Amino acid sequence: MSSTTGALNSAFVTPESSTLVASAISNITSSFTFNRHKTRLELVRISAAVMGIEFSYAAETAFVSPTLLKIGIEHQHMTLVWALSPLIGFFACPFLGSMSDRCKLNLGRRRPFIVLLSMGVIFGLLLIPNGESLGYWFGDNYQEPQTSTINTRNGSINLHRVTASENIVNFQSINKHPWGIFFTVLGTVLLDFDADACQSPARAYLLDICLPEDHVRGLSTFTIMAGLGGFMGYSMGAIDWDKTNIGKKLGGHVKTVFTMVTFIFTFCVTLTITSFREIPLWVLAESKYGKVKGVDSDDINMGTYDANNQITHASEVVQSCCLLPKMTALCHECIDDLFPNQVNLLL
């Protein structure tokens, strides 16, 4: 028995095969760096993008409505401007999600869309406070509305306290402000839609590169970072930037807040997209389903296979390679029991 096992061991387990197995294990373990638990600091870095998104939300909520009213949009039309972004998102977000699931770029599935949508957020942050100035460049000749307030009871003029029952307010707008309105509304739609849409790939990126055991901690960190970004964003608007040197250089309170939010948002998104590399979808499809099961990668539902599936597959391969000597010995015993005469003849 022992001589037969030794002979078959020499036939099945050669130095070349051992070297190949060791090389395969080394390649697998070095290629998939996600197969470990993330630290809290790493989860904070992965979730930094949503913190930047909440900063932009705070600036948008606090200053967009006054800016729209200032450039001449009536409050009835202002609510329609806010309705544009959800309407666009209702039709566009499902397509963006499907495209993200099927994206085959080497950068990954989530990070390209995070970068693309973040560019839209940055353009929105730049257009909203500068829309009126851009309108002047394009030919707007806008002046502040003339307001006359007449008190019908006692004939006196009250410029500070106006009520509908006692006063008549007559606004006479000398000129329209079409270009300024266009750029400000465009910035509002870009900022609101892209900030909403960017949250989905940011959350999916966290789930893709983390082990299932880290999902609870990762999502809780994601939520904490979102709340922290909202709090700090609104607090930033409470500072009187007009009295500071920064505010004077940047052109006033609103422009200062939007400029600072733009830099903070860019920094947070950069932290996230440079934290961990994604496994490209074509690697997942070809290695796990194309070569192993013989399935065409174009016919696969790409949205159901993420990095965790590939990690599981890699772990199974490693375990199989580690069990190879035990399986070989077991096969040798079975051969001896089933074909004793043939083995003796071989010896």
Side-chain angles (χ1 to χ4, degrees), residues 16 20 29 51 64 82 150 232 259 267 317 326 338 346:
E16 291 79 6
L20 291 176
T29 55
M51 183 178 179
V64 166
W82 284 109
I150 304 174
M232 296 177 65
T259 302
F267 175 74
V317 173
K326 296 181 180 179
L338 294 175
L346 288 174

Side-chain angles (χ1 to χ4, degrees), residues 2 18 56 86 97 100 138 153 158 195 243 264 273 298:
S2 61
S18 300
S56 64
S100 175
F138 278 81
R153 286 188 177 181
N158 184 359
K243 297 181 179 180
I264 293 172
I273 63 177
D298 293 334

Side-chain angles (χ1 to χ4, degrees), residues 43-58 114 118 121 194-206 217-233 261 264-273 275:
L43 293 175
V44 167
R45 184 177 178 183
I46 296 170
S47 305
V50 74
M51 183 178 179
I53 292 173
E54 291 299 326
F55 264 97
S56 64
Y57 271 140
I114 294 175
S118 296
V121 172
D194 290 318
D196 285 337
C198 191
Q199 292 191 58
S200 296
R203 186 180 295 106
Y205 174 67
L206 182 145
R217 294 172 61 244
L219 292 175
S220 64
T221 305
F222 193 88
T223 304
I224 292 172
M225 294 292 289
L228 184 62
F231 167 75
M232 296 177 65
V261 168
I264 293 172
F265 175 80
T266 304
F267 175 74
C268 291
V269 171
T270 303
L271 279 181
T272 295
I273 63 177
S275 57

Side-chain angles (χ1 to χ4, degrees), residues 3 9 34 61 76 94 141 176 185 190 220 259 271-272 323 346:
S3 61
N9 273 330
F34 308 127
T61 306
Q76 298 93 339
N141 185 17
K176 298 294 183 181
V185 171
L190 280 175
S220 64
T259 302
L271 279 181
T272 295
L323 293 176
L346 288 174

Side-chain angles (χ1 to χ4, degrees), residues 325-343:
K326 296 181 180 179
M327 295 175 62
T328 305
L330 180 62
C331 292
H332 294 166
E333 294 179 2
C334 294
I335 291 173
D336 289 336
D337 294 336
L338 294 175
F339 307 103
N341 297 329
Q342 285 79 353
V343 173

Side-chain angles (χ1 to χ4, degrees), residues 22-295:
S23 177
I25 295 174
S26 176
N27 291 335
I28 292 171
T29 55
S30 62
S31 298
F32 302 99
T33 59
F34 308 127
N35 196 10
R36 66 174 179 83
H37 294 284
K38 300 294 187 297
T39 64
R40 180 67 69 175
L41 184 60
E42 290 173 338
L43 293 175
V44 167
R45 184 177 178 183
I46 296 170
S47 305
V50 74
M51 183 178 179
I53 292 173
E54 291 299 326
F55 264 97
S56 64
Y57 271 140
E60 175 191 36
T61 306
F63 297 107
V64 166
S65 293
T67 301
L68 293 175
L69 293 174
K70 178 183 176 183
I71 63 177
I73 297 179
E74 298 181 359
H75 66 277
Q76 298 93 339
H77 297 158
M78 182 190 67
T79 58
L80 294 178
V81 173
W82 284 109
L84 287 175
S85 173
L87 180 63
I88 297 174
F90 177 80
F91 294 101
C93 285
F95 291 100
L96 291 175
S98 179
M99 291 171 61
S100 175
D101 290 336
R102 297 174 180 272
C103 181
K104 299 181 181 180
L105 297 178
N106 291 333
L107 190 61
R109 291 184 292 170
R110 314 303 180 189
R111 289 187 297 172
F113 287 87
I114 294 175
V115 173
L116 178 64
L117 295 171
S118 296
M119 292 175 62
V121 172
I122 293 173
F123 278 117
L125 291 171
L126 294 176
L127 284 176
I128 290 174
N130 299 294
E132 186 177 358
S133 300
L134 290 174
Y136 292 140
W137 292 351
F138 278 81
D140 285 345
N141 185 17
Y142 180 77
Q143 299 181 15
E144 293 293 333
Q146 292 182 348
T147 304
S148 59
T149 305
I150 304 174
N151 192 310
T152 57
R153 286 188 177 181
N154 52 21
S156 62
I157 297 177
N158 184 359
L159 297 178
H160 301 286
R161 190 179 184 90
V162 180
T163 61
S165 60
E166 297 182 356
N167 301 286
I168 300 174
V169 181
N170 182 23
F171 293 101
Q172 297 177 351
S173 179
I174 298 178
N175 292 311
K176 298 294 183 181
H177 202 189
W179 283 109
I181 292 175
F182 169 76
F183 286 118
T184 306
V185 171
L186 177 62
T188 302
V189 174
L190 280 175
L191 175 57
D192 197 39
F193 167 73
D194 290 318
D196 285 337
C198 191
Q199 292 191 58
S200 296
R203 186 180 295 106
Y205 174 67
L206 182 145
L207 297 176
D208 284 353
I209 64 176
C210 291
L211 293 176
E213 294 81 2
D214 289 336
H215 284 176
V216 175
R217 294 172 61 244
L219 292 175
S220 64
T221 305
F222 193 88
T223 304
I224 292 172
M225 294 292 289
L228 184 62
F231 167 75
M232 296 177 65
Y234 286 111
S235 299
M236 183 183 298
I239 302 174
D240 189 2
W241 295 103
D242 290 329
K243 297 181 179 180
T244 63
N245 293 328
I246 298 177
K248 294 176 181 178
K249 291 180 180 179
L250 294 179
H253 183 83
V254 176
K255 290 185 178 181
T256 302
V257 172
F258 274 89
T259 302
M260 296 181 67
V261 168
T262 302
F263 283 106
I264 293 172
F265 175 80
T266 304
F267 175 74
C268 291
V269 171
T270 303
L271 279 181
T272 295
I273 63 177
T274 57
S275 57
F276 290 93
R277 296 178 59 189
E278 294 181 82
I279 301 177
L281 185 59
W282 62 269
V283 174
L284 300 180
E286 291 183 4
S287 62
K288 185 174 182 181
Y289 294 93
K291 295 181 180 179
V292 177
K293 296 187 177 182
V295 180

